[in-house]
Amino acid sequence: MSNIFEDESLVGSRRKNPIFKDKKPLDHRFLPDKLVHRDEQIRQIAKYWVDVLDNVTPSNVTLYGKTGTGKTAASKFAREQLIEAANNENVFVKIEYIRCTDYTTEYQVIAELCNRLGRDVPNRGWTKAEVVNAFRELFRTNAFGRKLHLIVILDEIDILLEKDGDGILYTLTRTDNISVLSISNYLDFKNLINSRVTSSLNDKEIVFPPYGANQLSDILNERALLSFNDGVLDSDVIPLCSAMAAKEEGDARYALDLLKNAGELAFDEDSEKVTSDHVRRAKDRIEHNKVSEILSTLPLQQQRLLEAILTLTKQGEEITSGKLYEAYSDVSKSDAVTYRRIFDFINDLELLGIISTNTVSRGRGKGRTNIIKLQCDEVLLETALYTI
Ligand SMILES: Nc1ncnc2c1ncn2[C@@H]1O[C@H](COP(=O)(O)OP(=O)(O)OP(=O)(O)O)[C@@H](O)[C@H]1O
């Protein structure tokens, strides 16, 4: 059989893509040369970090803001600039970026930092104290031959704090020559931290507000110039992506996803232009992928519970827990779990944002009832449920 990658249709599409010039700039990990509308925040980070150029350990900083507001991009941007300035001034600085979804415990973060600094530490097997000692030793013994300043960026820190407590911040902020830049989605992130640690965080906080539609348009215009061939975007495409993303809490990542998916749909359909219709369908496609992704990770019984919720919703019924249990037992038959377990499942599905629950009072003496509602599109859910 001939090689599928050499198939005429694929070779053709690689050589000349009528829509995209280069898709990379639409990828989440792409770091653009300039971050429009984030000058102020980058300047603030620089104001704290600049101390390091005078050999002074910078203050710890916390960045707050909802998802897709440019926190990661701004901190990586500041990192690049500081590394360049430090090289020019011959100051020894390392800035290590750690995504706490990948390293979810203090042990893992410290071991990873040791490894990046050239001290081999196993990913498991040692005690936490041993790993912390090995790490501190690097700074105590001047292992690098000259004074190293380490700035640790802890992105999505909430995940680590929830899972493993605030020991990581304690360890890092109590080691000489280290400063931490924490990135959090929640303004109340300090509630997860003990006061012994908050005191060393020094309250240097930078807020990233959600982007408005016009700001999102500026961001998309910059990326579109790099990614799309001239003239392929209809004039209403970027304004529409921006307006839709502004509604989704000003999330630049979502705006970029809409634009990229709209372009891919246009390409798949051999269209010469990307239109607002592609954007609308891109929105459905993204939601569909999101729902499918969530569903594919759900245990079977929870999927069955969702099937039951879907059936009742389609029948136009008000869904109480009692009614739901009956419908669920019909779907699950002999392997149905107990009525009590259903409440855990309902809780989990609510946390995932697929359903919502609302407790209503039925009037005097009649007690209270839980009303369950679907929070995602019925058709999307149905397709996703029956295709996984
Ligand atoms: N001002 C901007 N200019 C250009 N691109 C931007 C800007 N702000 C965000 N982006 C882009 O939007 C995407 C999401 O941004 P980023 O990852 O920095 O958000 P975040 O606030 O860290 O989100 P999360 O909390 O979900 O991690 C990235 O691809 C980033 O490059």
Side-chain angles (χ1 to χ4, degrees), residues 28 30 35-36 67-73 185 211 219 223 252-253:
H28 300 157
F30 180 81
L35 288 177
V36 284
T67 195
T69 51
K71 303 179 297 296
T72 306
N185 284 334
Y211 292 115
I219 294 172
R223 298 289 179 99
R253 182 178 298 115

Side-chain angles (χ1 to χ4, degrees), residues 25-32 34-39 65-75 97 99 155-156 183-185 208 211 215-216 218-220 222-223 251-254 256:
L26 294 172
D27 189 282
H28 300 157
R29 285 156 300 184
F30 180 81
L31 189 60
K34 60 176 182 217
L35 288 177
V36 284
H37 303 295
R38 283 302 178 234
D39 286 350
K66 295 211 164 125
T67 195
T69 51
K71 303 179 297 296
T72 306
S75 58
Y97 173 84
R99 186 182 283 282
D155 200 352
E156 313 225 20
I183 303 183
S184 165
N185 284 334
F208 284 61
Y211 292 115
Q215 294 178 321
L216 289 168
D218 292 339
I219 294 172
L220 292 187
E222 295 277 339
R223 298 289 179 99
D251 179 348
R253 182 178 298 115
Y254 182 62
L256 285 163

Side-chain angles (χ1 to χ4, degrees), residues 34-260:
K34 60 176 182 217
L35 288 177
V36 284
H37 303 295
R38 283 302 178 234
D39 286 350
E40 177 54 32
Q41 284 78 4
I42 295 169
R43 202 167 288 282
Q44 279 178 283
I45 300 175
K47 194 179 86 193
Y48 298 126
W49 280 3
V50 72
D51 285 347
V52 82
L53 296 177
D54 294 321
N55 265 313
V56 175
T57 309
S59 301
N60 300 306
V61 187
T62 309
L63 312 187
Y64 295 104
K66 295 211 164 125
T67 195
T69 51
K71 303 179 297 296
T72 306
S75 58
K76 287 189 170 172
F77 191 86
R79 175 178 69 165
E80 305 279 301
Q81 302 253 305
L82 178 57
I83 288 174
E84 194 185 311
N87 281 342
N88 291 343
E89 301 202 15
N90 207 13
V91 179
F92 190 29
V93 185
K94 281 185 182 285
I95 308 173
E96 295 298 338
Y97 173 84
I98 300 270
R99 186 182 283 282
C100 300
T101 41
D102 300 332
Y103 304 93
T104 54
T105 62
E106 178 182 355
Y107 184 114
Q108 287 173 6
V109 172
I110 301 289
E112 176 63 17
L113 288 173
C114 283
N115 291 332
R116 289 193 199 171
L117 295 176
R119 168 77 165 91
D120 282 349
V121 164
N123 287 335
R124 65 191 68 182
W126 285 14
T127 63
K128 195 180 346 183
E130 282 171 321
V131 183
V132 170
N133 267 338
F135 179 67
R136 290 208 162 128
E137 202 63 17
L138 287 172
F139 292 84
R140 240 192 333 258
T141 58
N142 204 8
F144 310 100
R146 56 184 179 143
K147 185 168 167 184
L148 166 69
H149 289 281
L150 176 66
I151 298 179
V152 183
I153 301 177
L154 293 174
D155 200 352
E156 313 225 20
I157 189 169
D158 317 282
I159 291 176
L160 200 164
L161 295 178
E162 268 165 29
K163 186 161 176 222
D164 198 38
D166 60 11
I168 181 69
L169 286 174
Y170 191 76
T171 300
L172 290 176
T173 56
R174 298 295 158 102
T175 307
D176 285 345
N177 302 344
I178 295 187
S179 82
V180 179
L181 180 139
S182 316
I183 303 183
S184 165
N185 284 334
Y186 305 103
L187 263 172
D188 61 355
F189 131 99
K190 290 240 170 86
N191 293 343
L192 295 169
I193 307 175
N194 199 299
S195 55
R196 72 191 171 135
V197 176
T198 17
S199 59
S200 41
L201 283 182
N202 307 348
D203 275 328
K204 304 284 192 265
E205 295 172 357
I206 304 174
V207 176
F208 284 61
Y211 292 115
N214 289 339
Q215 294 178 321
L216 289 168
S217 284
D218 292 339
I219 294 172
L220 292 187
N221 275 318
E222 295 277 339
R223 298 289 179 99
L225 280 176
L226 303 172
S227 318
F228 288 92
N229 288 320
D230 288 349
V232 297
L233 291 183
D234 264 1
S235 60
D236 51 357
V237 164
I238 288 186
L240 184 59
C241 292
S242 311
M244 284 176 167
K247 267 202 202 154
E248 295 286 325
E249 312 202 298
D251 179 348
R253 182 178 298 115
Y254 182 62
L256 285 163
D257 271 351
L258 277 173
L259 188 61
K260 180 172 169 202

